[in-house]
Amino acid sequence: MTTTATKETLGFQSEVNQLLDLVINSLYSNREIFLRELISNASDAIEKLRFSALSDESLYEGDPETAIDIEFDRDAHTLTVRDAGIGMSREDVVANLGTIAKSGTREFFGALSGDSRQDSQLIGQFGVGFYAAFIVADKVTVLSRKAGAPEGVRWESDGRGEFTVEPCARSRRGTEIILHLKEDALEYADEWRLRGLIKKYSDHIAAPIRMASAQTAEPEDGEAAPAPALETINSATALWVRAKQDISDDDYKAFYKHISHDFADPMVWVHTKSEGKLEYTTLFFIPNRPPFDLFDRDVKRGIKLYVQRVFIMDDAEQLLPRYLRFVRGIVDTRDLPLNVSREILQRNKAIDTIRGASIKKILGLIETLASGEDYGKFWSAFGRVLKEGVIEDAPNRERVAKLLRFASTLDDAAEPAVSLEQYVSRMKEGQKAIYFLTAETHATAKASPHLEVFRARGVEVLLLSDPVDEWVVQHLTEFDGKPLRSVTQGKLELPGDEETGEKPEDAEASALVGKLKAALEGKVSSVRASTRLTDSPACLVGDEYDMSINMQRILRAAGQEVPPSKRILEVNEKHPLLMRLASEEGEQRFADLAVLLFEQAVLAEGGRLDDPAAFVRRVNQLLIDAAG
Ligand code: ADP
């Protein structure tokens, strides 16, 4: 006997149990969404069937009708959602309705707080799909037969840790989900309630959603009841095909929820039909909040590809670059063959054109957001990902760069809000470059001694503290004709230099500087008088083309070998400490103070000392001396 011939009781994966608890406890106030989730799955199953049938028409089993039927039985307390879609095998059922196999699962469970209000928000973001059935049902029976397979499968569970699976005979292909409604959920066994929910949440579904018509005649005494006439409740056309003026905002929002599995409304969308050489329609949404796996660059992108309304594939990565991976939506075209594969997409002219136009549409949408009040919300959700565009999308680099927002010395609010255009518009007269500082944290950046002269001269500096910023500044070497310059690297040429007559290396400084060079031999590549400092005694700077210290730190943290690089110590000779050093006669003491000066400069930029204990000893010795 094969195992598939028997009834088996299996346990849910532990994450499913956790999710079910959450679903039941946290989604109570929004219970009606269960229907939209089940209809959404049914619609996906129909799309999958239609796609598979492109290459194997026998999967229709002679019945190409693909509808979703909703039935209820008031006496039996059941509600049934039936689809004529692809169906599931026993293995599919066990894998799909017993485990969670989606990206972001670990992050989702890690983010839960135990507070049901907050957690219900998170669940909405994660999506619960099929498991939403247990919000209103205390038992769920699933009957399914995969298109083309001889035997069906029956799955059943009360949502408490276990489910059963067994084979069953089933004439229809597709899936039937029977909800045994909880006592307090009987309101859903009601024709008008259901019609209302279908209209509200699922009108955009392309397959017809049908219910038995209320007008079906009662059977005459002694006669068998006639099969009730089925009435289609939704509009039953692909939403993006309809004329824009016939689509309401609510329709767009509902459609977004269907394709994204997000419970929240999208932030904005753009719907375009192109009828030129190529005929295609795109509908793109920007979500309101980032998904759990936003920073996984390998995650699939959320664009569905349709060819002449037939769903071809999810996550069509050729359609958008990675830095727009937060966008959800669809592309439908007539200009691809129905049997198009991922391989064909990779070198297809039509796709290249559609991709290029899509990027422009989406950047346009973000530009509109950027000119409004709420750009901060977009920026805090997706800004870090958008920055990758500067690295990845050379043709659109300048356009993406305009959309970036940074913190700066003139505006260091928690939300980065300074654009490069704004920076350029308030550059000082004679200022030649756009200055920036990269550091591990915003606080370190803000406190850096390298900023002193910029503050003193009123020159704005962008404060960059996202790891990706290091790559951004490597690729964005100029903006609006102005080079981007690190304040920690190279010699400075600042507006106002002429008046102060400062020169980086001053002949008079050489005695002290020469002694420091000797004392710090091996620790720094050189010592020079600084034009950067006004309050601090010293800071470290790199050569113009050196890798920044922050970049070295990031690479080391990622496990890469970075050869140690020596930098230049710049000293502020007007600082009392340096004046004191200049007159120090004790050789050992001079050497100790010189090393301390260097170590302080390392600490001030958020760096790590090679020998922290020796530093502490040196400071303690100084304190003891000072205390007399
Ligand atoms: P999601 O839809 O987000 O993948 P669900 O928990 O809703 O998550 O469903 C899990 C999987 O179960 C689906 O991806 C699909 O493969 C399968 N499934 C659910 N409902 C149906 C259905 N009506 N017909 C066929 N497969 C289904």
Side-chain angles (χ1 to χ4, degrees):
M1 195 159 85
T2 63
T3 51
T4 55
T6 56
K7 177 165 177 169
E8 265 184 297
T9 301
L10 296 169
F12 285 123
Q13 180 197 29
S14 64
E15 284 84 356
V16 175
N17 285 323
Q18 253 178 298
L19 184 65
L20 281 170
D21 272 351
L22 281 166
V23 165
I24 293 161
N25 295 320
S26 307
L27 291 180
Y28 190 86
S29 57
N30 195 15
R31 318 206 273 176
E32 61 190 35
I33 56 100
F34 80 91
L35 188 63
R36 140 191 125 191
E37 297 292 304
L38 297 181
I39 290 176
S40 185
N41 281 346
S43 162
D44 290 346
I46 288 169
E47 293 196 325
K48 284 181 201 160
L49 173 71
R50 296 181 64 199
F51 173 69
S52 301
L54 290 174
S55 51
D56 180 3
E57 203 158 330
S58 74
L59 291 175
Y60 281 130
E61 304 180 346
D63 176 12
E65 173 94 81
T66 47
I68 301 167
D69 291 336
I70 313 283
E71 269 169 30
F72 62 92
D73 183 332
R74 263 188 171 294
D75 303 325
H77 295 183
T78 58
L79 171 60
T80 301
V81 177
R82 183 184 315 115
D83 67 65
I86 188 83
M88 287 181 276
S89 67
R90 181 180 178 119
E91 291 72 40
D92 294 339
V93 163
V94 171
N96 295 333
L97 311 184
T99 64
I100 304 174
K102 63 171 138 189
S103 67
T105 302
R106 205 165 43 94
E107 290 80 355
F108 166 67
F109 285 102
L112 292 173
S113 67
D115 175 86
S116 68
R117 265 183 65 108
Q118 276 178 28
D119 288 349
S120 69
Q121 286 269 320
L122 288 176
I123 303 179
Q125 210 172 338
F126 183 68
V128 291
F130 167 76
Y131 300 107
F134 288 96
I135 313 175
V136 294
D138 47 24
K139 187 167 80 175
V140 177
T141 309
V142 178
L143 301 166
S144 193
R145 183 168 67 76
K146 194 151 193 154
E151 192 176 61
V153 57
R154 182 176 195 277
W155 177 102
E156 192 164 81
S157 176
D158 60 7
R160 292 183 205 175
E162 291 180 334
F163 60 88
T164 59
V165 265
E166 61 189 308
C168 73
R170 244 186 104 65
S171 55
R172 302 166 188 250
R173 71 159 187 271
T175 302
E176 180 168 327
I177 299 191
I178 306 166
L179 309 180
H180 304 268
L181 294 171
K182 292 178 184 170
E183 279 305 317
D184 65 0
L186 293 178
E187 61 184 289
Y188 298 109
D190 176 88
E191 174 171 0
W192 297 103
R193 186 85 169 95
L194 291 170
R195 281 171 172 262
L197 292 179
I198 294 167
K199 268 306 213 192
K200 178 170 172 193
Y201 292 116
S202 308
D203 192 52
H204 60 83
I205 295 285
I209 304 170
R210 305 182 305 190
M211 284 183 71
S213 163
Q215 270 77 52
T216 305
E218 287 289 314
E220 301 278 319
D221 275 349
E223 275 182 37
L230 289 170
E231 186 185 342
T232 298
I233 313 293
N234 63 333
S235 303
T237 44
L239 173 113
W240 62 90
V241 176
R242 293 193 231 158
K244 277 205 253 181
Q245 64 270 23
D246 298 339
I247 310 175
S248 71
D249 284 1
D250 284 341
D251 291 333
Y252 280 118
K253 290 176 187 171
F255 180 70
Y256 163 75
K257 289 174 186 171
H258 165 56
I259 57 164
S260 67
H261 300 257
D262 188 351
F263 281 29
D265 289 338
M267 195 180 291
V268 281
W269 57 87
V270 57
H271 182 186
T272 322
K273 293 184 192 191
S274 293
E275 278 155 8
K277 255 195 184 152
L278 285 181
E279 234 178 90
Y280 61 92
T281 300
T282 57
L283 173 53
F284 297 122
F285 296 89
I286 296 180
N288 241 312
R289 49 193 185 184
F292 286 99
D293 49 16
L294 186 62
F295 289 103
D296 182 349
R297 276 180 49 84
D298 294 325
V299 86
K300 303 279 174 53
R301 261 121 298 162
I303 304 300
K304 288 173 185 277
L305 175 66
Y306 289 78
V307 173
Q308 299 174 43
R309 326 260 184 277
V310 179
F311 169 74
I312 304 294
M313 67 180 82
D314 266 320
D315 315 315
E317 64 258 40
Q318 299 310 319
L319 293 174
L320 283 184
R322 288 187 186 198
Y323 76 94
L324 296 177
R325 62 185 175 273
F326 53 88
V327 175
R328 300 286 175 264
I330 65 102
V331 170
D332 187 358
T333 177
R334 289 184 163 282
D335 294 290
L336 286 174
L338 277 162
N339 62 357
V340 64
S341 65
R342 287 191 194 267
E343 291 66 44
I344 293 178
L345 285 186
Q346 275 171 14
R347 36 190 168 77
N348 181 282
K349 280 244 163 58
I351 284 293
D352 290 346
T353 308
I354 295 172
R355 174 185 160 109
S358 298
I359 296 173
K360 294 204 158 54
K361 279 282 157 230
I362 294 165
L363 292 179
L365 186 61
I366 302 174
E367 281 157 1
T368 314
L369 278 176
S371 62
E373 302 270 286
D374 285 339
Y375 193 52
K377 198 170 125 197
F378 168 85
W379 185 256
S380 68
F382 305 113
R384 280 171 63 192
V385 174
L386 191 66
K387 281 180 187 172
E388 295 171 14
V390 166
I391 304 160
E392 193 180 341
D393 189 355
N396 290 301
R397 182 167 293 148
E398 184 95 356
R399 205 165 162 190
V400 175
K402 284 187 187 165
L403 293 167
L404 305 188
R405 295 294 179 269
F406 302 98
S408 92
T409 46
L410 296 191
D411 181 354
D412 67 358
E415 244 352 287
V418 181
S419 68
L420 289 168
E421 284 173 302
Q422 196 177 4
Y423 182 102
V424 169
S425 74
R426 58 192 187 199
M427 275 167 67
K428 286 266 160 188
E429 206 176 305
Q431 183 180 340
K432 298 200 180 80
I434 297 171
Y435 290 101
F436 66 86
L437 173 84
T438 57
E440 185 173 8
T441 65
H442 179 65
T444 312
K446 218 163 105 172
S448 168
H450 294 97
L451 297 173
E452 288 170 7
V453 70
F454 292 88
R455 288 218 166 92
R457 306 238 183 125
V459 174
E460 182 168 22
V461 178
L462 301 175
L463 304 175
L464 313 183
S465 53
D466 272 347
V468 67
D469 290 334
E470 286 287 353
W471 283 269
V472 169
V473 294
Q474 276 181 21
H475 289 82
L476 189 71
T477 48
E478 60 162 61
F479 178 82
D480 195 13
K482 318 276 184 302
L484 269 79
R485 282 269 148 73
S486 164
V487 303
T488 67
Q489 276 160 276
K491 288 183 186 162
L492 296 180
E493 261 184 274
L494 286 180
D497 277 353
E498 311 75 33
E499 296 138 49
T500 57
E502 299 217 43
K503 283 194 215 77
E505 257 158 317
D506 203 319
E508 286 164 62
S510 58
L512 175 59
V513 164
K515 273 180 82 182
L516 283 170
K517 262 188 206 163
L520 294 174
E521 170 107 52
K523 288 195 183 330
V524 298
S525 66
S526 182
V527 179
R528 69 184 178 212
S530 183
T531 55
R532 286 176 166 81
L533 301 172
T534 59
D535 302 325
S536 299
C539 69
L540 288 160
V541 299
D543 268 335
E544 196 160 337
Y545 300 105
D546 279 357
M547 189 187 284
S548 81
I549 280 299
N550 189 48
M551 183 68 147
Q552 294 182 22
R553 182 187 58 73
I554 292 170
L555 292 180
R556 286 204 188 93
Q560 295 194 33
E561 287 249 0
V562 182
S565 69
K566 295 201 185 70
R567 289 181 305 148
I568 302 161
L569 184 74
E570 283 197 2
V571 295
N572 172 7
E573 291 182 294
K574 299 194 186 95
H575 192 276
L577 184 55
L578 273 292
M579 304 216 268
R580 166 76 186 71
L581 258 178
S583 59
E584 176 58 56
E585 275 160 17
E587 231 172 83
Q588 185 54 46
R589 203 166 152 92
F590 182 91
D592 277 352
L593 287 173
V595 173
L596 262 178
L597 197 64
F598 164 73
E599 288 173 327
Q600 283 188 347
V602 173
L603 290 176
E605 63 180 15
R608 290 175 57 164
L609 299 175
D610 291 340
D611 187 354
F615 168 77
V616 171
R617 265 199 310 278
R618 271 188 283 276
V619 172
N620 284 344
Q621 191 53 51
L622 270 181
L623 292 174
I624 292 165
D625 293 354

mmCIF file of all heavy atoms in Angstrom, residues 225-251:
data_model
loop_
_atom_site.group_PDB
_atom_site.id
_atom_site.type_symbol
_atom_site.label_atom_id
_atom_site.label_comp_id
_atom_site.label_asym_id
_atom_site.label_seq_id
_atom_site.Cartn_x
_atom_site.Cartn_y
_atom_site.Cartn_z
ATOM 1 N N ALA A 225 -35.278 20.121 -7.004
ATOM 2 C CA ALA A 225 -34.923 21.529 -7.145
ATOM 3 C C ALA A 225 -34.106 21.722 -8.407
ATOM 4 O O ALA A 225 -33.184 20.959 -8.666
ATOM 5 C CB ALA A 225 -34.114 21.977 -5.933
ATOM 6 N N PRO A 226 -34.438 22.711 -9.214
ATOM 7 C CA PRO A 226 -33.607 22.967 -10.389
ATOM 8 C C PRO A 226 -32.260 23.533 -9.940
ATOM 9 O O PRO A 226 -32.181 24.143 -8.879
ATOM 10 C CB PRO A 226 -34.407 24.023 -11.156
ATOM 11 C CG PRO A 226 -35.248 24.702 -10.131
ATOM 12 C CD PRO A 226 -35.488 23.716 -9.013
ATOM 13 N N ALA A 227 -31.240 23.281 -10.751
ATOM 14 C CA ALA A 227 -29.939 23.859 -10.408
ATOM 15 C C ALA A 227 -30.086 25.369 -10.394
ATOM 16 O O ALA A 227 -30.663 25.938 -11.324
ATOM 17 C CB ALA A 227 -28.902 23.437 -11.436
ATOM 18 N N PRO A 228 -29.651 26.025 -9.333
ATOM 19 C CA PRO A 228 -29.858 27.467 -9.261
ATOM 20 C C PRO A 228 -29.057 28.187 -10.346
ATOM 21 O O PRO A 228 -27.958 27.761 -10.682
ATOM 22 C CB PRO A 228 -29.347 27.835 -7.871
ATOM 23 C CG PRO A 228 -28.462 26.718 -7.463
ATOM 24 C CD PRO A 228 -28.908 25.501 -8.197
ATOM 25 N N ALA A 229 -29.626 29.236 -10.881
ATOM 26 C CA ALA A 229 -28.891 30.027 -11.865
ATOM 27 C C ALA A 229 -27.757 30.739 -11.142
ATOM 28 O O ALA A 229 -27.920 31.214 -10.019
ATOM 29 C CB ALA A 229 -29.828 31.047 -12.489
ATOM 30 N N LEU A 230 -26.596 30.772 -11.811
ATOM 31 C CA LEU A 230 -25.461 31.433 -11.179
ATOM 32 C C LEU A 230 -25.344 32.855 -11.710
ATOM 33 O O LEU A 230 -25.492 33.105 -12.902
ATOM 34 C CB LEU A 230 -24.184 30.653 -11.468
ATOM 35 C CG LEU A 230 -24.084 29.323 -10.728
ATOM 36 C CD1 LEU A 230 -22.917 28.502 -11.254
ATOM 37 C CD2 LEU A 230 -23.936 29.546 -9.227
ATOM 38 N N GLU A 231 -25.083 33.738 -10.814
ATOM 39 C CA GLU A 231 -24.966 35.143 -11.196
ATOM 40 C C GLU A 231 -23.538 35.609 -10.911
ATOM 41 O O GLU A 231 -22.990 35.313 -9.849
ATOM 42 C CB GLU A 231 -25.946 35.945 -10.343
ATOM 43 C CG GLU A 231 -26.035 37.385 -10.740
ATOM 44 C CD GLU A 231 -26.943 38.160 -9.770
ATOM 45 O OE1 GLU A 231 -27.730 37.516 -9.033
ATOM 46 O OE2 GLU A 231 -26.836 39.386 -9.751
ATOM 47 N N THR A 232 -22.976 36.295 -11.870
ATOM 48 C CA THR A 232 -21.619 36.828 -11.652
ATOM 49 C C THR A 232 -21.712 38.131 -10.878
ATOM 50 O O THR A 232 -22.433 39.051 -11.262
ATOM 51 C CB THR A 232 -20.913 37.055 -12.999
ATOM 52 O OG1 THR A 232 -20.796 35.785 -13.641
ATOM 53 C CG2 THR A 232 -19.523 37.642 -12.813
ATOM 54 N N ILE A 233 -20.987 38.203 -9.777
ATOM 55 C CA ILE A 233 -21.123 39.350 -8.873
ATOM 56 C C ILE A 233 -20.117 40.449 -9.198
ATOM 57 O O ILE A 233 -20.386 41.617 -9.015
ATOM 58 C CB ILE A 233 -20.888 38.913 -7.401
ATOM 59 C CG1 ILE A 233 -21.668 37.639 -7.079
ATOM 60 C CG2 ILE A 233 -21.210 40.026 -6.421
ATOM 61 C CD1 ILE A 233 -23.153 37.800 -7.084
ATOM 62 N N ASN A 234 -18.925 40.072 -9.648
ATOM 63 C CA ASN A 234 -17.874 41.097 -9.868
ATOM 64 C C ASN A 234 -17.848 41.544 -11.328
ATOM 65 O O ASN A 234 -18.559 40.987 -12.174
ATOM 66 C CB ASN A 234 -16.507 40.534 -9.466
ATOM 67 C CG ASN A 234 -16.097 39.351 -10.324
ATOM 68 O OD1 ASN A 234 -16.950 38.642 -10.854
ATOM 69 N ND2 ASN A 234 -14.813 39.142 -10.469
ATOM 70 N N SER A 235 -17.015 42.493 -11.629
ATOM 71 C CA SER A 235 -16.913 42.984 -13.006
ATOM 72 C C SER A 235 -16.268 41.954 -13.922
ATOM 73 O O SER A 235 -16.498 41.947 -15.124
ATOM 74 C CB SER A 235 -16.089 44.267 -13.077
ATOM 75 O OG SER A 235 -16.653 45.235 -12.255
ATOM 76 N N ALA A 236 -15.402 41.121 -13.353
ATOM 77 C CA ALA A 236 -14.818 39.995 -14.078
ATOM 78 C C ALA A 236 -14.061 40.371 -15.345
ATOM 79 O O ALA A 236 -14.129 39.692 -16.355
ATOM 80 C CB ALA A 236 -15.891 38.936 -14.387
ATOM 81 N N THR A 237 -13.348 41.477 -15.302
ATOM 82 C CA THR A 237 -12.380 41.754 -16.370
ATOM 83 C C THR A 237 -11.096 42.164 -15.669
ATOM 84 O O THR A 237 -11.142 42.727 -14.577
ATOM 85 C CB THR A 237 -12.768 42.955 -17.252
ATOM 86 O OG1 THR A 237 -13.225 44.004 -16.395
ATOM 87 C CG2 THR A 237 -13.793 42.614 -18.278
ATOM 88 N N ALA A 238 -9.973 41.886 -16.298
ATOM 89 C CA ALA A 238 -8.705 42.306 -15.704
ATOM 90 C C ALA A 238 -8.768 43.810 -15.489
ATOM 91 O O ALA A 238 -9.134 44.554 -16.400
ATOM 92 C CB ALA A 238 -7.556 41.938 -16.630
ATOM 93 N N LEU A 239 -8.429 44.245 -14.305
ATOM 94 C CA LEU A 239 -8.617 45.653 -13.941
ATOM 95 C C LEU A 239 -7.880 46.602 -14.884
ATOM 96 O O LEU A 239 -8.408 47.626 -15.310
ATOM 97 C CB LEU A 239 -8.127 45.875 -12.506
ATOM 98 C CG LEU A 239 -8.102 47.324 -12.072
ATOM 99 C CD1 LEU A 239 -9.121 47.588 -10.986
ATOM 100 C CD2 LEU A 239 -6.725 47.741 -11.624
ATOM 101 N N TRP A 240 -6.647 46.231 -15.233
ATOM 102 C CA TRP A 240 -5.819 47.166 -16.003
ATOM 103 C C TRP A 240 -6.299 47.359 -17.436
ATOM 104 O O TRP A 240 -5.863 48.262 -18.127
ATOM 105 C CB TRP A 240 -4.363 46.700 -15.983
ATOM 106 C CG TRP A 240 -4.134 45.357 -16.612
ATOM 107 C CD1 TRP A 240 -3.851 45.120 -17.925
ATOM 108 C CD2 TRP A 240 -4.166 44.094 -15.978
ATOM 109 N NE1 TRP A 240 -3.713 43.774 -18.137
ATOM 110 C CE2 TRP A 240 -3.898 43.113 -16.957
ATOM 111 C CE3 TRP A 240 -4.412 43.664 -14.660
ATOM 112 C CZ2 TRP A 240 -3.862 41.745 -16.684
ATOM 113 C CZ3 TRP A 240 -4.364 42.305 -14.389
ATOM 114 C CH2 TRP A 240 -4.100 41.365 -15.381
ATOM 115 N N VAL A 241 -7.219 46.483 -17.867
ATOM 116 C CA VAL A 241 -7.741 46.583 -19.224
ATOM 117 C C VAL A 241 -8.826 47.654 -19.307
ATOM 118 O O VAL A 241 -9.052 48.268 -20.337
ATOM 119 C CB VAL A 241 -8.330 45.214 -19.633
ATOM 120 C CG1 VAL A 241 -8.961 45.286 -20.997
ATOM 121 C CG2 VAL A 241 -7.239 44.156 -19.583
ATOM 122 N N ARG A 242 -9.479 47.875 -18.191
ATOM 123 C CA ARG A 242 -10.581 48.841 -18.198
ATOM 124 C C ARG A 242 -10.057 50.255 -18.450
ATOM 125 O O ARG A 242 -8.898 50.560 -18.147
ATOM 126 C CB ARG A 242 -11.271 48.828 -16.825
ATOM 127 C CG ARG A 242 -11.971 47.525 -16.554
ATOM 128 C CD ARG A 242 -12.869 47.721 -15.349
ATOM 129 N NE ARG A 242 -12.650 46.690 -14.363
ATOM 130 C CZ ARG A 242 -12.958 46.811 -13.065
ATOM 131 N NH1 ARG A 242 -13.460 47.932 -12.616
ATOM 132 N NH2 ARG A 242 -12.748 45.816 -12.252
ATOM 133 N N ALA A 243 -10.938 51.099 -18.954
ATOM 134 C CA ALA A 243 -10.560 52.495 -19.163
ATOM 135 C C ALA A 243 -10.280 53.120 -17.804
ATOM 136 O O ALA A 243 -10.982 52.838 -16.827
ATOM 137 C CB ALA A 243 -11.691 53.238 -19.858
ATOM 138 N N LYS A 244 -9.261 53.963 -17.754
ATOM 139 C CA LYS A 244 -8.843 54.522 -16.464
ATOM 140 C C LYS A 244 -9.985 55.242 -15.758
ATOM 141 O O LYS A 244 -10.115 55.153 -14.543
ATOM 142 C CB LYS A 244 -7.672 55.485 -16.674
ATOM 143 C CG LYS A 244 -6.348 54.769 -16.756
ATOM 144 C CD LYS A 244 -5.229 55.709 -16.355
ATOM 145 C CE LYS A 244 -4.441 56.104 -17.572
ATOM 146 N NZ LYS A 244 -3.340 57.000 -17.243
ATOM 147 N N GLN A 245 -10.795 55.948 -16.548
ATOM 148 C CA GLN A 245 -11.862 56.711 -15.884
ATOM 149 C C GLN A 245 -12.925 55.801 -15.258
ATOM 150 O O GLN A 245 -13.714 56.249 -14.441
ATOM 151 C CB GLN A 245 -12.504 57.742 -16.830
ATOM 152 C CG GLN A 245 -13.223 57.157 -18.026
ATOM 153 C CD GLN A 245 -12.274 57.015 -19.220
ATOM 154 O OE1 GLN A 245 -11.051 56.950 -19.071
ATOM 155 N NE2 GLN A 245 -12.845 56.945 -20.429
ATOM 156 N N ASP A 246 -12.925 54.536 -15.639
ATOM 157 C CA ASP A 246 -13.896 53.605 -15.040
ATOM 158 C C ASP A 246 -13.336 52.881 -13.823
ATOM 159 O O ASP A 246 -14.001 52.023 -13.252
ATOM 160 C CB ASP A 246 -14.319 52.552 -16.070
ATOM 161 C CG ASP A 246 -15.021 53.178 -17.264
ATOM 162 O OD1 ASP A 246 -15.522 54.318 -17.102
ATOM 163 O OD2 ASP A 246 -15.049 52.545 -18.333
ATOM 164 N N ILE A 247 -12.116 53.198 -13.453
ATOM 165 C CA ILE A 247 -11.519 52.494 -12.312
ATOM 166 C C ILE A 247 -11.453 53.458 -11.137
ATOM 167 O O ILE A 247 -10.859 54.542 -11.243
ATOM 168 C CB ILE A 247 -10.097 51.995 -12.651
ATOM 169 C CG1 ILE A 247 -10.100 51.230 -13.984
ATOM 170 C CG2 ILE A 247 -9.576 51.098 -11.535
ATOM 171 C CD1 ILE A 247 -8.713 50.806 -14.445
ATOM 172 N N SER A 248 -12.045 53.075 -10.026
ATOM 173 C CA SER A 248 -12.029 53.963 -8.861
ATOM 174 C C SER A 248 -10.753 53.729 -8.061
ATOM 175 O O SER A 248 -10.080 52.704 -8.214
ATOM 176 C CB SER A 248 -13.240 53.691 -7.975
ATOM 177 O OG SER A 248 -13.075 52.434 -7.341
ATOM 178 N N ASP A 249 -10.429 54.685 -7.210
ATOM 179 C CA ASP A 249 -9.270 54.510 -6.332
ATOM 180 C C ASP A 249 -9.410 53.238 -5.514
ATOM 181 O O ASP A 249 -8.432 52.517 -5.296
ATOM 182 C CB ASP A 249 -9.127 55.711 -5.390
ATOM 183 C CG ASP A 249 -8.554 56.923 -6.120
ATOM 184 O OD1 ASP A 249 -8.297 56.804 -7.341
ATOM 185 O OD2 ASP A 249 -8.375 57.968 -5.476
ATOM 186 N N ASP A 250 -10.633 52.964 -5.063
ATOM 187 C CA ASP A 250 -10.834 51.751 -4.268
ATOM 188 C C ASP A 250 -10.539 50.493 -5.074
ATOM 189 O O ASP A 250 -10.018 49.516 -4.550
ATOM 190 C CB ASP A 250 -12.263 51.701 -3.709
ATOM 191 C CG ASP A 250 -12.433 52.649 -2.525
ATOM 192 O OD1 ASP A 250 -11.393 53.045 -1.936
ATOM 193 O OD2 ASP A 250 -13.580 53.008 -2.204
ATOM 194 N N ASP A 251 -10.876 50.539 -6.371
ATOM 195 C CA ASP A 251 -10.558 49.383 -7.222
ATOM 196 C C ASP A 251 -9.044 49.171 -7.285
ATOM 197 O O ASP A 251 -8.544 48.050 -7.173
ATOM 198 C CB ASP A 251 -11.065 49.603 -8.655
ATOM 199 C CG ASP A 251 -12.592 49.588 -8.754
ATOM 200 O OD1 ASP A 251 -13.227 48.937 -7.912
ATOM 201 O OD2 ASP A 251 -13.126 50.245 -9.669
#
